[in-house]
Amino acid sequence: MAVTQLETPTFGSRVGNIWKRLTEPPASVKDIEQRRRMQLLSVLLIGIIPVAILAGVTVPFIAHPDAPWKSPVFLAAFFAVFIFLIAFGLNRSGRYSLAAGLMILPFFVSPYYAVIREEGQAGSNRPFMGILGAAVLLTSILFPERRKLIIAFIVGLISTLIFPLFLPVQDFSLVLAPLVTFLAITVLTVLYDDHRTKLEIDRQQELSASLRRSEEANAALIKANSVAKEATRLKSEFMATMSHELRTPLNATLGFSGVLLEGMSGEFDDATRHMIERIESNSKRLLSLINDILDIAKIEAGRFEIVSSPIAPQKLVDSWRSQMSVLAERKGLTFDVELDPNLPNQLYGDPERISQVAINLLSNAFKFTDKGGVKLSLKKANATWLIEVTDTGMGIPPHALNYIFDEFRQLDGSSRRSYGGTGLGLAIVRNLSLMMGGNVRVTSVLGQGSTFIITLPLQMSIEPQAI
């Protein structure tokens, strides 16, 4: 049986636990700001009580070695310690305002008591001016609210006026100096607090105004974004509709040109036949461009659907080879096809969209390759399968790899003029690949060629189990 060894608390952890118990506000206080003030007051009291005890013990023995208990410092210090202990207990019980007021009281009272007891000794009241300053400073820290601050000042003022009446004093001029000092510090503190409050109000107003402006700008941005999306949707719908309308007369043109070339309307001389062939060729080219625009418009409008059905990779490869071989022969290029034997004989996917992606890549490969050849590879890679199209063409500059999949983008203006096209082919490839759950990436060396890789999820058809 394993024996669990208890960890012995260290000295530091014990001290930390004691400190936490002495300064942690009671659990009944939930307000975060109030808890912080109570914790600050506990820390101040814990720090000042030993100082007051030390002052009450050491200073009287230095100033009055014969009778230290008669020293005003001795009596004032231990009066303060007594009040501080009561304040600490009140603060620990959750009575913060009363505790803070009691803590400040000795700072107001002790200077006057010391002055009266030292009456007749020149300059005896000067060391206690700093105590009054500390009283005002503590008041502004412990009572940040204006109402409580004013109440504390009034209590301090009344105590400075009433306390001397209970002790014999012949020269009230000794009391006057501390009183004037207290009043001066009080006025300056109130003015400072008023200035600080106004600055805080101005800052809050500025923050509110900035927040309001930010919200207005955000609302305007959301509205503009909504308008832009609606405009894009309408544009895509318009392009899809117009592209469809344009395809109808083009198909008619191709149909009639095909009829003419078949000789169904009689024979033509070579010049006429050449013109009809040019009509058919350019109509096919225009139809291809319109189909690209129609596809990208449907994709942007969200009207493009992916239909999954059984496909045979071998049939796909044979179909692509028969379509592209004409381009290879026309330009005198090699066209190699490689089919991974590990690839299943049947998969699930959208054969029409997969073919569209592959044909686009192969068409680009043959378009931008003048010597060498093009290679098509289908490979299995774990839970995916790849369509790779490699060419020995002009290659792609490194900076162009960032935008060649954008709509209406080609390498540059000169390539568009030299090779033609709308720049939509690779954009369609990227969008269709993503819609089918895959992706497309490219590697290229300028002047040596490029490799485009389509990655698609490997979805194999489920064969029925024999009973």
Side-chain angles (χ1 to χ4, degrees):
M1 180 182 296
V3 178
T4 304
Q5 186 176 2
L6 297 178
E7 184 178 353
T8 304
T10 62
F11 176 76
S13 64
R14 290 176 179 175
V15 172
N17 290 333
I18 294 174
W19 178 262
K20 184 177 181 181
R21 290 179 182 179
L22 291 175
T23 59
E24 189 74 15
S28 58
V29 180
K30 303 299 182 182
D31 184 74
I32 297 178
E33 186 65 25
Q34 185 72 4
R35 291 181 64 86
R36 288 177 179 174
R37 292 180 188 174
M38 294 176 69
Q39 190 171 22
L40 173 63
L41 181 57
S42 295
V43 171
L44 290 174
L45 287 169
I46 292 174
I48 203 170
I49 288 174
V51 173
I53 294 175
L54 184 63
V57 172
T58 58
V59 175
F61 279 94
I62 296 174
H64 302 275
D66 297 332
W69 56 86
K70 295 182 179 181
S71 171
V73 176
F74 180 85
L75 297 175
F78 281 94
F79 169 74
V81 170
F82 177 72
I83 297 299
F84 291 155
L85 290 173
I86 296 176
F88 185 80
L90 290 172
N91 186 54
R92 295 294 298 154
S93 65
R95 297 176 176 84
Y96 170 79
S97 298
L98 183 57
L102 281 178
M103 179 185 178
I104 297 170
L105 181 61
F107 288 89
F108 286 128
V109 172
S110 58
Y112 300 100
Y113 179 74
V115 166
I116 293 169
R117 292 294 301 271
E118 298 291 343
E119 184 179 353
Q121 298 183 16
S124 61
N125 60 349
R126 293 174 185 172
F128 300 98
M129 297 299 100
I131 298 178
L132 286 174
V136 177
L137 178 62
L138 283 173
T139 303
S140 62
I141 293 175
L142 298 176
F143 295 102
E145 297 92 346
R146 175 61 59 83
R147 180 178 59 84
K148 292 183 178 180
L149 180 63
I150 293 175
I151 292 174
F153 283 143
I154 292 174
V155 172
L157 179 61
I158 293 175
S159 66
T160 57
L161 293 174
I162 294 178
F163 189 78
L165 300 179
F166 295 94
L167 294 174
V169 60
Q170 297 176 0
D171 188 0
F172 276 91
S173 63
L174 297 174
V175 181
L176 185 61
L179 182 60
V180 172
T181 302
F182 169 73
L183 292 175
I185 295 174
T186 299
V187 171
L188 290 175
T189 304
V190 171
L191 291 176
Y192 168 74
D193 182 73
D194 183 71
H195 175 68
R196 182 181 62 182
T197 302
K198 289 181 179 179
L199 287 178
E200 181 66 19
I201 292 174
D202 292 341
R203 188 179 71 87
Q204 292 292 339
Q205 290 177 348
E206 181 62 27
L207 286 176
S208 299
S210 299
L211 182 61
R212 185 169 58 255
R213 289 193 296 267
S214 177
E215 291 175 350
E216 292 174 354
N218 189 41
L221 183 60
I222 293 174
K223 183 178 180 180
N225 187 37
S226 177
V227 171
K229 286 183 177 180
E230 179 65 15
T232 301
R233 186 186 65 81
L234 293 175
K235 179 206 71 173
S236 299
E237 288 187 357
F238 172 77
M239 290 176 61
T241 303
M242 289 305 298
S243 299
H244 180 75
E245 293 298 324
L246 289 172
R247 279 204 308 181
T248 301
L250 270 176
N251 286 326
T253 302
L254 285 170
F256 285 119
S257 62
V259 169
L260 292 174
L261 291 175
E262 291 292 332
M264 295 181 181
S265 299
E267 295 295 329
F268 301 98
D269 55 26
D270 291 340
T272 303
R273 176 170 291 275
H274 176 70
M275 287 187 289
I276 296 174
E277 289 175 349
R278 292 293 302 274
I279 291 173
E280 184 182 50
S281 174
N282 284 281
S283 296
K284 288 181 177 179
R285 181 182 175 189
L286 183 57
L287 182 61
S288 176
L289 297 178
I290 291 175
N291 285 335
D292 286 345
I293 295 175
L294 179 60
D295 287 342
I296 203 71
K298 284 183 176 180
I299 290 172
E300 289 183 353
R303 293 164 53 185
F304 216 99
E305 294 183 0
I306 301 297
V307 180
S308 184
S309 61
I311 55 176
Q314 184 64 56
K315 290 184 178 180
L316 287 178
V317 168
D318 293 341
S319 173
W320 301 340
R321 178 161 37 195
S322 63
Q323 292 183 58
M324 294 292 108
S325 294
V326 178
L327 295 179
E329 295 172 0
R330 185 179 302 170
K331 299 187 71 173
L333 303 174
T334 62
F335 183 27
D336 299 323
V337 176
E338 179 183 346
L339 182 62
D340 188 351
N342 295 321
L343 197 64
N345 294 327
Q346 187 168 315
L347 302 173
Y348 270 133
D350 191 326
E352 183 179 354
R353 303 311 168 195
I354 294 173
S355 294
Q356 187 175 359
V357 166
I359 294 300
N360 267 330
L361 292 181
L362 289 170
S363 298
N364 277 349
F366 283 110
K367 180 191 298 185
F368 294 103
T369 302
D370 294 325
K371 60 181 180 179
V374 175
K375 182 179 179 181
L376 169 66
S377 301
L378 271 65
K379 302 178 181 178
K380 181 180 182 297
N382 297 326
T384 62
W385 64 292
L386 312 178
I387 302 174
E388 293 186 5
V389 176
T390 303
D391 64 66
T392 58
M394 58 187 292
I396 303 171
H399 70 276
L401 296 175
N402 297 323
Y403 62 73
I404 59 171
F405 292 102
D406 294 343
E407 288 85 353
F408 306 103
R409 294 294 297 268
Q410 288 185 340
L411 296 184
D412 52 39
S414 61
S415 68
R416 180 173 296 181
R417 287 192 297 270
S418 300
Y419 297 96
T422 59
L424 290 175
L426 291 180
I428 293 173
V429 168
R430 179 195 61 185
N431 284 293
L432 289 181
S433 299
L434 293 175
M435 292 174 66
M436 291 187 291
N439 60 70
V440 58
R441 63 184 188 275
V442 58
T443 59
S444 183
V445 178
L446 192 61
Q448 297 183 20
S450 306
T451 298
F452 287 83
I453 303 174
I454 301 293
T455 303
L456 296 173
L458 188 65
Q459 299 178 355
M460 293 180 291
S461 59
I462 302 176
E463 297 291 338
Q465 297 181 356
I467 301 177

